[in-house]
Amino acid sequence: MSTQNVFERILDGEIPCDTVFENDDILAFRDIAPQAPVHIVIIPKKKGIVSIQEVASDDEMAIVVKIIAVAQQLARDFRIDKTGYRLLTNAGLNSGQEVLHLHFHLIGGAPLGPLA
Ligand code: AMP
């Protein structure tokens, strides 16, 4: 049994994913349980950053900025840039974060309703 979380296992190729973007630093794939017509998970390839709360070094901060740029590009690619979308990241217990590897949800393609 792997001790790695599901996103680390995706990064290692142990679990397949529906990739929509990849470069040296970042992987983006379709969420397995989409909450809207477009629901993409964007993650850093660097392991060990549990959540946005753990982002510390300049290099890690730079990855977050790169993730935002990727989200903008994916929003254009999936044609939700004009209609609007939500880019969110859960951190910790009260957020309901399930996977302990920093990730951003890009969600759109329909009205999303209020935040919980
Ligand atoms: P969070 O609650 O912010 O930790 O979100 C974790 C997200 O990962 C959820 O939206 C899950 O549906 C999604 N997820 C879990 N396993 C997979 C998988 N194998 N492939 C794609 N998305 C996944």
Side-chain angles (χ1 to χ4, degrees):
M1 178 72 180
S2 172
T3 57
Q4 299 200 104
N5 64 57
V6 64
F7 292 169
E8 291 175 338
R9 296 180 69 195
I10 285 173
L11 286 168
D12 284 354
E14 292 178 19
I15 295 176
C17 71
D18 188 353
T19 300
V20 297
F21 175 86
E22 182 171 14
N23 67 14
D24 287 347
D25 301 314
I26 293 164
L27 179 68
F29 49 88
R30 290 184 190 272
D31 195 291
I32 202 167
Q35 304 295 307
V38 177
H39 188 166
I40 295 166
V41 179
I42 310 171
I43 70 173
K45 287 188 173 177
K46 178 176 179 173
K47 294 179 182 175
I49 311 173
V50 170
S51 77
I52 196 77
Q53 190 59 33
E54 313 298 322
V55 172
S57 68
D58 287 350
D59 282 354
E60 290 172 356
M61 291 288 182
I63 289 174
V64 172
V65 172
K66 289 177 183 175
I67 286 174
I68 292 170
V70 168
Q72 290 176 327
Q73 184 57 53
L74 287 169
R76 288 188 286 270
D77 293 346
F78 284 83
R79 301 187 181 283
I80 59 172
D81 56 319
K82 303 275 195 306
T83 52
Y85 58 86
R86 193 167 280 153
L87 180 65
L88 67 85
T89 186
N90 289 319
L93 196 58
N94 280 354
S95 74
Q97 182 181 8
E98 291 176 359
V99 181
L100 301 183
H101 178 108
L102 175 66
H103 57 279
F104 288 75
H105 298 259
L106 175 66
I107 305 170
L112 299 174
L115 283 171

